């Protein structure tokens, strides 16, 4: 059975598109593309229908990751369709926990809890930061975390 992953952040134009693209790439490099599906969505509706922030797109391009999706907002249905829903920070996690319908299927996990040092486990919002350093940092965190998550998932440790 195909397992489904949903990457979540506040706006779905900075962190979660990067996390989505990195997870797709990690799965592809592991030869597991037939077994996993990956999507992303927002907590808020401000950017629905928009492409990612230019800085997110250029960070993905720089690392050879294609990206075509547009922002969408999470729905209550998502909590029963996806197996794993990842937030990027503590605020995302509390928003996800309060929106999850009772008894829904998805495991709610913070992405940075996989493979990152405790002091580095928050994937910070780079939207209001000047320049693109925060986007590169988010990308680097996602590479480590996606790899660590997939290894745990394949080893049935989740
Ligand atoms: P993201 O960044 O959650 O990483 O996509 C943000 C993008 C937009 C807004 C907030 C965070 N905003 O308030 O519009």
């Amino acid at each position: 059975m195909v397992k489904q992953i949903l990457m979540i952040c506040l706006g779905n134009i900075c962190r979660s598109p990067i996390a989505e693209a990195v997870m797709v790439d990690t799965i592809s490099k592991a030869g597991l593309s037939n077994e996993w599906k990956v999507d992303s969505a927002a907590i808020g509706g401000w950017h629905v229908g928009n492409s990612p922030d230019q800085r997110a797109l250029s960070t993905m391009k720089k690392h050879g990751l294609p990206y075509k999706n547009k922002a969408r907002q999470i729905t209550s249905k998502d909590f029963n369709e996806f197996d794993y829903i990842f937030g990027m920070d503590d605020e995302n996690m509390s928003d996800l926990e309060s929106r999850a319908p009772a008894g829904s299927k998805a495991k709610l996990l913070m992405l940075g809890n996989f493979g990152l040092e405790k002091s580095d486990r928050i994937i910070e919002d780079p939207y209001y930061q000047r320049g693109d350093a925060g986007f590169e940092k988010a990308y680097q965190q996602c590479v480590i975390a996606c790899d660590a998550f997939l290894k745990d998932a394949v080893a049935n440790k989740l």
Side-chain angles (χ1 to χ4, degrees):
M1 261 254 289
V2 172
K3 293 269 184 195
Q4 298 203 62
I5 293 170
L6 184 64
M7 296 297 189
I8 293 292
C9 64
L10 197 53
N12 194 205
I13 56 165
C14 299
R15 294 164 293 174
S16 60
I18 293 174
E20 177 191 355
V22 169
M23 188 61 94
V24 166
D25 187 55
T26 305
I27 288 167
S28 163
K29 284 176 174 154
L32 297 171
S33 299
N34 291 336
E35 293 170 42
W36 294 87
K37 272 192 173 168
V38 189
D39 193 9
S40 67
I43 296 288
W46 315 284
H47 298 282
V48 168
N50 292 351
S51 290
D53 183 285
Q54 274 308 320
R55 297 166 294 174
L57 286 172
S58 62
T59 302
M60 290 188 268
K61 197 167 174 198
K62 175 176 151 196
H63 292 287
L65 302 182
Y67 196 84
K68 286 265 155 59
N69 288 348
K70 306 276 196 240
R72 73 172 181 90
Q73 190 172 18
I74 193 168
T75 65
S76 54
K77 222 172 112 195
D78 288 323
F79 290 92
N80 274 310
E81 283 199 352
F82 287 85
D83 299 281
Y84 301 101
I85 300 182
F86 286 101
M88 303 294 134
D89 58 26
D90 292 318
E91 191 190 348
N92 293 165
M93 295 316 298
S94 56
D95 285 339
L96 287 172
E97 277 146 25
S98 64
R99 286 173 197 218
S104 50
K105 155 174 124 174
K107 280 191 184 167
L108 308 181
L109 302 168
M110 196 161 84
L111 184 59
N113 281 340
F114 294 86
L116 294 170
E117 296 291 327
K118 243 198 159 102
S119 59
D120 201 33
R121 66 193 192 95
I122 304 295
I123 301 179
E124 280 174 20
D125 188 351
Y127 184 62
Y128 292 108
Q129 295 173 13
R130 208 175 283 172
D132 54 14
F135 289 79
E136 177 64 23
K137 163 97 178 150
Y139 166 81
Q140 297 294 345
Q141 288 173 295
C142 287
V143 168
I144 294 169
C146 289
D147 184 62
F149 166 77
L150 193 62
K151 288 200 167 105
D152 279 2
V154 167
N156 257 327
K157 283 195 200 158
L158 298 169

